[in-house]
C-alpha cells in the first residue's frame, strides 16, 4: 500500500492504486487503510479524576513526589535494630499509620508498629508480631531478622520525577487510583469524541410501535448504543431514517456538521433502495469495500462533508444485526480509540480447543460466535449452532468470537482455534 494517495484520490479513482481491489479487501488491509486517514482529536479539557474513567490523557504525568513519601512498615509487628536481635527488647512506644512515633530508638529498645506506620528513627528492620515472644514488659525474637526486612522504602511505588502515565493513555480504574496516590485531583484529557449514528431502512420500526407485515424492529441502534457506551464516546442517536434520499441526505449532512464521526447501518450494499452510496459519493470521500469476511461483507469508510463544510469520519456498516456488531468490533472500535487520541491495541487472540467440527471455506476471515466454557479445569470453545448474520440471539448467547483466518479451511473437532473474548475485566 502506498501512503501518498489521498482519500479522495482513492475514492474517486480506485485504479490509481496498484493491488487495490475494493471487491476483495482483506480484514487486515481494510484496517490499515482506515488507520492512515484518521486524524485524532486535539482539543483538551481539565476534568476531575473521578470523571476521567475511559478518557484519554492529553499530557504526560510525571510524579511530583515519592509514593510512599516515607519508609513504612509492611507488617504489624516491632521495629528494632538488627544488631539487637538476640536481646530482650523494651517496648518504648507505638507507631500507628498516620501517627508516627516521634522519638529515636536506642540500643535494646523496640517500637510496636502497625502496617503503614512510619519507621521510627534508629530502627532498621521490622519483625512481624507472630515471630516474637512476650518477655516481661518487653519482647524476645524467635528468628534472626534481616536488615530492611518488612520495610517499604520511600518511593517504592513511584519515585519523584519518574514518568507515571503517558499522553494517549486510556484511563482505567487502577490509573484513577494511581493519580490520586500522587495527590492529583484533576487531569488534562482529550475532549470526548462525538459520534452520531442512525439506522436506515423502510422496513425498520422504532420500538413501542406496532409492526405491519414485512416490518421489523430496529435493533442495530441498540447494539451500537451499547458498544459506543462502553467506549465512552459522546453519543448522538439520530434514530431510524427510511430509504428516502432526501431524508437520508438531510440527516447525513447535519450529522456530519455536528459530530466527529457518523456511523450508519444498512443500505451500503447495492440493493435497489440503497441510496447511501450515491449520497456519500456526492458529499464525501468514501471507499466502498466488499471485505473477505463473514459476517459483514459490505463496509464503507471515509469522510463526509457536513452542511457547515466540516468533515466527519464515516463508517457505513452492513444492516444485518450480527454483521453490524462484528464490523464494529473489527474496524470501528479500533478507529474510534485512535480518534479519541489513544493507541488502539489489537484484541488479544487466545488458542483453545474447539469441541465441534467447523465447515469453512478458505479465502475469507470468519468471526463465528462461540461459547467458551470450562471442562474439568480446561477452557474449551464450542461454536453456537446458528451462525446466520441476522441471528442476534446467538450473538447474545456468545461470549467470544472464534476467529478463523482466510488461510484456515474446514476444522475437525478438537482443533485448536483462536478466540477473541467479548468481555474483559472492567
Ligand atoms: P441492508 O444492509 O440495508 O441491505 O440490510 C440487510 C439486512 O439487515 C436486511 O434484512 C435488513 O432488514 C436488516 N437490517 C438493516 N438494518 C437493520 C436494523 N437497524 N435493525 C435490524 N435489522 C436491520
Ligand atoms: Mg436496507
Amino acid at each position: 500500500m502506498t501512503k501518498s494517495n489521498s482519500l479522495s484520490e482513492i475514492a474517486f479513482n480506485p485504479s490509481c492504486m496498484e493491488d487495490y481491489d475494493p471487491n476483495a479487501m482483506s480484514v487486515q488491509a481494510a484496517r490499515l487503510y482506515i488507520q492512515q486517514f484518521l486524524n485524532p482529536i486535539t482539543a483538551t479539557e481539565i476534568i476531575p479524576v473521578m470523571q476521567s474513567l475511559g478518557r484519554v490523557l492529553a499530557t504526560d504525568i510525571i510524579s511530583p513526589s515519592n509514593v510512599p513519601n516515607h519508609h513504612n512498615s509492611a507488617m504489624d509487628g516491632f521495629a528494632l535494630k538488627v544488631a539487637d536481635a538476640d536481646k530482650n527488647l523494651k517496648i518504648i512506644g507505638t507507631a500507628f499509620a498516620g501517627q508516627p512515633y516521634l522519638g529515636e530508638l536506642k540500643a535494646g529498645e523496640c517500637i510496636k508498629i502497625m502496617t503503614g506506620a512510619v519507621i521510627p528513627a534508629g530502627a532498621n528492620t521490622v519483625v512481624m508480631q507472630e515471630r516474637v515472644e512476650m518477655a516481661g514488659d518487653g519482647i524476645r525474637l524467635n528468628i534472626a531478622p534481616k536488615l530492611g526486612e518488612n520495610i517499604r522504602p520511600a518511593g517504592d511505588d513511584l519515585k519523584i520525577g519518574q514518568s507515571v502515565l503517558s499522553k494517549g493513555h486510556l484511563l482505567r480504574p487502577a490509573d484513577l487510583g494511581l493519580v490520586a496516590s500522587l495527590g492529583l485531583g484533576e487531569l488534562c484529557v482529550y475532549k470526548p469524541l462525538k459520534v452520531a449514528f442512525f439506522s436506515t431502512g423502510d422496513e425498520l420500526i422504532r420500538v413501542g410501535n406496532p409492526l405491519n407485515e414485512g416490518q421489523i424492529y430496529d435493533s442495530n441502534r441498540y447494539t451500537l448504543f451499547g458498544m459506543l457506551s462502553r467506549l465512552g464516546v459522546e453519543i448522538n442517536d439520530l434514530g431510524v431514517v427510511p430509504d428516502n434520499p432526501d431524508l437520508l441526505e438531510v440527516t447525513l449532512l447535519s450529522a456530519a456538521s455536528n459530530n466527529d464521526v457518523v456511523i450508519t447501518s444498512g443500505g451500503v450494499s447495492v440493493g435497489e433502495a440503497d441510496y447511501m452510496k450515491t449520497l456519500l459519493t456526492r458529499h464525501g470521500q468514501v471507499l466502498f469495500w466488499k471485505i473477505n469476511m463473514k459476517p459483514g461483507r459490505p463496509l464503507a469508510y471515509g469522510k463526509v462533508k457536513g452542511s457547515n463544510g466540516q468533515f466527519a469520519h464515516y463508517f457505513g456498516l452492513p444492516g444485518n444485526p450480527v454483521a453490524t456488531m462484528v464490523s464494529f468490533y473489527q474496524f470501528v472500535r479500533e478507529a474510534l480509540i485512535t480518534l479519541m487520541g489513544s493507541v488502539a491495541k489489537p484484541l488479544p487472540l487466545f488458542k483453545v480447543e474447539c469441541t465441534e467440527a467447523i465447515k469453512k471455506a478458505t479465502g475469507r476471515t470468519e468471526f463465528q460466535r462461540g461459547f467458551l466454557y470450562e471442562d474439568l479445569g480446561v477452557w474449551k470453545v464450542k461454536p453456537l449452532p446458528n451462525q446466520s448474520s441476522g441471528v442476534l440471539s446467538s450473538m447474545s448467547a456468545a461470549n467470544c468470537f472464534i476467529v478463523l483466518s482466510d488461510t484456515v479451511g474446514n476444522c475437525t473437532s478438537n482443533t485448536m482455534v483462536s478466540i477473541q473474548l467479548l468481555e474483559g475485566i472492567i
Side-chain angles (χ1 to χ4, degrees):
M1 190 195 312
T2 36
K3 258 206 144 174
S4 53
N5 293 73
S6 69
L7 184 57
S8 72
E9 277 173 319
I10 309 172
F12 295 109
N13 181 19
S15 59
C16 71
M17 303 197 64
E18 274 177 44
D19 301 336
Y20 178 78
D21 182 359
N23 293 314
M25 193 41 90
S26 72
V27 172
Q28 203 46 39
R31 280 199 193 114
L32 291 174
Y33 270 105
I34 294 171
Q35 202 66 32
Q36 64 175 306
F37 299 116
L38 301 173
N39 46 323
I41 205 152
T42 52
T44 62
E45 62 183 350
I46 291 176
I47 57 169
V49 174
M50 283 270 190
Q51 288 167 22
S52 69
L53 187 65
R55 300 290 295 275
V56 178
L57 272 181
T59 54
D60 292 336
I61 296 194
I62 306 296
S63 182
S65 55
N66 282 322
V67 179
N69 63 8
H70 51 263
H71 300 327
N72 70 96
S73 178
M75 293 283 172
D76 290 337
F78 294 88
L80 47 102
K81 294 177 191 288
V82 170
D84 285 349
D86 53 356
K87 298 182 187 143
N88 269 13
L89 298 175
K90 188 174 169 214
I91 305 171
I92 59 157
T94 307
F96 294 95
Q99 287 174 43
Y101 177 82
L102 297 174
E104 188 176 342
L105 208 67
K106 292 195 252 349
E109 294 176 345
C110 69
I111 300 279
K112 197 167 176 15
I113 194 163
M114 310 300 153
T115 305
V118 177
I119 303 297
N124 57 17
T125 191
V126 170
V127 176
M128 63 197 279
Q129 213 156 262
E130 295 80 348
R131 299 281 155 82
V132 158
E133 278 166 30
M134 299 313 289
D137 60 351
I139 58 164
R140 257 204 96 74
L141 310 186
N142 49 26
I143 53 142
K146 295 196 192 86
L147 186 68
E149 207 168 15
N150 299 319
I151 294 179
R152 300 189 287 215
D156 193 22
D157 190 352
L158 299 170
K159 292 193 175 42
I160 188 163
Q162 96 170 64
S163 162
V164 179
L165 293 171
S166 307
K167 177 176 164 168
H169 185 80
L170 205 147
L171 293 156
R172 299 173 305 138
D175 305 322
L176 270 53
L178 190 67
V179 294
S181 78
L182 295 170
L184 302 178
E186 291 181 326
L187 290 174
C188 181
V189 295
Y190 290 112
K191 289 221 161 147
L193 197 68
K194 288 193 212 159
V195 181
F197 59 96
F198 57 95
S199 294
T200 70
D202 276 341
E203 75 281 26
L204 303 177
I205 299 297
R206 287 171 186 252
V207 296
N209 298 296
L211 290 183
N212 289 326
E213 197 175 335
Q215 296 180 326
I216 57 170
Y217 288 115
D218 165 30
S219 59
N220 287 347
R221 266 190 315 124
Y222 288 81
T223 46
L224 279 172
F225 171 82
M227 294 185 291
L228 290 168
S229 299
R230 284 274 173 96
L231 274 180
V233 297
E234 192 178 304
I235 296 169
N236 290 314
D237 173 11
L238 302 180
V240 179
V241 183
D243 293 317
N244 169 319
D246 295 337
L247 286 176
L248 286 168
E249 185 169 37
V250 171
T251 314
L252 181 70
L253 296 190
S254 116
S257 307
N258 301 314
N259 295 279
D260 303 303
V261 181
V262 179
I263 301 175
T264 63
S265 73
V268 288
S269 44
V270 285
E272 291 273 291
D274 291 337
Y275 301 112
M276 285 305 285
K277 188 165 180 179
T278 319
L279 281 176
L280 292 162
T281 308
R282 190 182 311 152
H283 296 291
Q285 308 158 1
V286 177
L287 312 174
F288 298 90
W289 294 324
K290 285 199 181 71
I291 312 269
N292 286 340
M293 71 187 269
K294 191 184 166 194
R297 252 168 86 63
L299 182 78
Y301 163 72
K303 290 181 185 175
V304 173
K305 197 174 185 179
S307 31
N308 62 356
Q310 277 193 27
F311 277 93
H313 290 273
Y314 172 79
F315 293 89
L317 306 182
N320 273 309
V322 180
T324 301
M325 292 192 77
V326 171
S327 307
F328 183 95
Y329 283 129
Q330 300 305 326
F331 303 109
V332 185
R333 175 193 158 277
E334 189 173 311
L336 294 185
I337 292 173
T338 305
L339 291 172
M340 286 159 69
S342 191
V343 181
K345 299 179 202 84
L347 294 172
L349 289 172
F350 302 97
K351 286 266 185 199
V352 296
E353 181 186 323
C354 183
T355 54
E356 284 171 29
I358 298 178
K359 280 193 78 175
K360 177 186 174 290
T362 55
R364 68 177 182 218
T365 306
E366 282 196 22
F367 298 92
Q368 296 216 353
R369 280 142 275 171
F371 188 75
L372 186 71
Y373 65 99
E374 199 184 342
D375 178 22
L376 302 173
V378 179
W379 288 87
K380 296 181 176 173
V381 69
K382 71 165 192 260
L384 288 160
N386 194 338
Q387 295 286 337
S388 160
S389 65
V391 172
L392 203 47
S393 54
S394 65
M395 189 69 206
S396 165
N399 57 9
C400 67
F401 285 127
I402 301 172
V403 184
L404 303 162
S405 74
D406 50 1
T407 54
V408 170
N410 289 335
C411 302
T412 53
S413 62
N414 307 325
T415 303
M416 297 299 278
V417 293
S418 298
I419 61 146
Q420 258 170 3
L421 292 176
L422 288 175
E423 300 290 338
I425 296 178
I426 49 170

